[in-house]
Amino acid sequence: MIYKSIRPGRIWLDTEGKRIQAHGGSVIYIDGTYYFYGENKEKTDGKNGIWHWGVRAYASRDLYNWEDKGLIIPPELDDEDSSLHPKSMMDRPHIIYNARTKKYVAWLKIMHKDGKQTATVLIADSFLGPYRKVREWMEPLSMSAGDFDLAVAPDGKAYYYFERVHSETICADLTEDYTDVTGFYSTHFPHPAPPYVREATAHFVRNHKHYLITSGTTGYMPNPSEAAIADTWHGPYTVLGNPHPADTTNTSFHSQISSVFKVQGKKDLYIACADRWQPNHMDISYERYEKMFVMLFDPYADQDELDCIMRDHPNDLNANTSIADYIWLPLRFVEPCTEYPHGMVVIDWKEEWRIEDYE
C-alpha cells in the first residue's frame, strides 16, 4: 500500500505491509531522509513477559511511507541481567548526533520492578548502528530518571530533559561526548505524586522560544497534556495549558506524545508524534483512572473503593502494546494575545492530513 496522507489513529503499515513498530518514538533527519525509530513491540502481547524486542528504525522521504531498516539496537537474548534483555522494561530511545566526536549517541530509559528507573547509553558511528553500550544502569545526578528527551543546541551543547520519578522535571547539561551529565541542572514543574507529575517530555524550539510538551503520569492510560514555554534551555518555563483544548475526553485524543519535530523545507510545520497505547480501552474515562492514581498515592485512601476501581482498570504491565497505534498531528501556534499572554500551542484533531497542504 502506498500512502499519500497521514491518518491518525489508523493502523500504519510499512512498505512491506507490516505494522510499524517504533513506539515511544522520535524522528531524526539525516541527508535528505527521515528516520522514525522507537521501541519494537512486535512481540509484546502482554502475556509472554516480553517488554520489547529492541529498537527498530524506518526510513522515509515523504513522511508517509516507511521502509523497515531493521533493529538498530537488537535485544540481548543471552543475558537476562542486561538492560537490553527482552524482559527488561526498556522505553523511549532517543538518539542525537555529536558533531565533535562524530558519534550517534542513544539513551534508553530502563524501568525496574522496584520502581527505580535508570539509563543505558550507547554510541555508534552510523545512525543505523551497530551500537555499543558505554554506560548501563546509570542514575543521572544520582536520581531515578524516567521519561526523557534529548536536545542539541546550535553551538553543539546538549541537554537532557527527564522526569525525576514521581517528583519533578529536570533539565541537565550533558558532557561534551553526550554520554553523561555534567552535574549542572535546573528543576521544573514540581508535584507531590502522580497523576500530575510530568513525564513523556518532548522539547522543541520555535522562533527562539523553547517549548516542552508533557503528559501526566497514568501509565499506558492517557491523560491531558501540558505545554510550557521559556526563553532559554533551562527556563524558567511558563505553563501554557492543555494543547488539546477541543478534546472533551481529557485524554490528548487517547494518546501520549513522545516527541515533536520540524518538517524540513516547511515554514512552520511541527509534528507531534504520539502513541495510542491502548486502542481497545478508549471507553474508560480519564476521571476514573485519575481518581485511581490519586488514591494510589494517598496513604489515607479508602482501600475498598480503590480495590473496586482497580478491578475494572486494565493492568498496564499486561497491555498488548504490539497493537498500539500512532497519532501524528501538526501543531498550531497562537501568538501572544489577551487570552494567551504568552502564546499557545494547539493540537487539533484531523482524520486525515497532508504535508503538502502546509507552506
Side-chain angles (χ1 to χ4, degrees), residues 106-118:
W107 284 58
L108 315 175
K109 182 194 83 176
I110 313 296
M111 294 190 293
H112 300 250
K113 292 182 179 178
D114 64 0
K116 182 174 71 172
Q117 300 186 34
T118 62

Side-chain angles (χ1 to χ4, degrees), residues 164-168 189-198 217 297-298:
R164 185 178 188 180
V165 174
H166 294 173
S167 175
E168 60 191 342
F189 319 131
H191 290 279
Y196 308 115
V197 175
R198 311 317 299 169
T217 38
F297 290 88
D298 179 0

Side-chain angles (χ1 to χ4, degrees), residues 89-107:
M89 291 185 282
M90 181 275 290
D91 280 349
R92 299 182 180 278
H94 287 280
I95 302 173
I96 51 178
Y97 180 67
N98 190 315
R100 189 182 66 84
T101 64
K102 302 189 184 308
K103 301 289 185 185
Y104 287 89
V105 183
W107 284 58

Side-chain angles (χ1 to χ4, degrees), residues 277-295:
W277 290 110
Q278 301 215 49
N280 292 338
H281 293 295
M282 291 171 59
D283 57 329
I284 301 177
S285 71
Y286 166 67
E287 288 72 22
R288 186 166 178 81
Y289 48 85
E290 177 189 28
K291 183 176 182 179
M292 184 192 76
F293 275 87
V294 169
M295 294 179 70

Side-chain angles (χ1 to χ4, degrees), residues 96-99 150-159 174 178 203 205 233:
I96 51 178
Y97 180 67
N98 190 315
L150 302 176
V152 179
D155 63 3
K157 190 172 182 178
Y159 301 86
L174 292 185
Y178 302 171
H203 171 275
V205 179
W233 296 88

Side-chain angles (χ1 to χ4, degrees), residues 318-334:
N318 294 330
N320 179 7
T321 50
S322 69
I323 61 168
D325 292 318
Y326 303 99
I327 308 293
W328 281 28
L329 290 168
L331 306 186
R332 176 168 60 87
F333 296 94
V334 179

Side-chain angles (χ1 to χ4, degrees), residues 187-331:
T187 64
H188 312 273
F189 319 131
H191 290 279
Y196 308 115
V197 175
R198 311 317 299 169
E199 67 173 12
T201 304
H203 171 275
F204 65 97
V205 179
R206 174 185 179 265
N207 292 346
H208 306 292
K209 296 287 187 179
H210 295 261
Y211 291 84
L212 296 179
I213 299 181
T214 59
S215 82
T217 38
T218 54
Y220 278 135
M221 302 305 291
N223 56 65
S225 297
E226 184 176 272
I229 192 171
D231 292 324
T232 68
W233 296 88
H234 283 281
Y237 281 86
T238 298
V239 173
L240 300 177
N242 185 348
H244 303 86
D247 174 28
T248 59
T249 69
N250 251 347
T251 61
S252 306
F253 302 129
H254 297 282
S255 71
Q256 182 185 43
I257 295 170
S258 60
S259 62
V260 174
F261 72 97
K262 187 179 187 299
V263 177
Q264 297 294 313
K266 294 295 181 178
K267 180 180 178 181
D268 202 29
L269 178 54
Y270 292 76
I271 298 177
C273 305
D275 295 274
R276 179 169 284 172
W277 290 110
Q278 301 215 49
N280 292 338
H281 293 295
M282 291 171 59
D283 57 329
I284 301 177
S285 71
Y286 166 67
E287 288 72 22
R288 186 166 178 81
Y289 48 85
E290 177 189 28
K291 183 176 182 179
M292 184 192 76
F293 275 87
V294 169
M295 294 179 70
L296 276 171
F297 290 88
D298 179 0
Y300 303 106
D302 185 313
Q303 191 60 46
D304 290 337
E305 182 182 4
L306 177 58
D307 290 344
C308 181
I309 295 175
M310 291 187 69
R311 276 195 297 270
D312 296 333
H313 189 277
N315 187 331
D316 274 345
L317 295 181
N318 294 330
N320 179 7
T321 50
S322 69
I323 61 168
D325 292 318
Y326 303 99
I327 308 293
W328 281 28
L329 290 168
L331 306 186

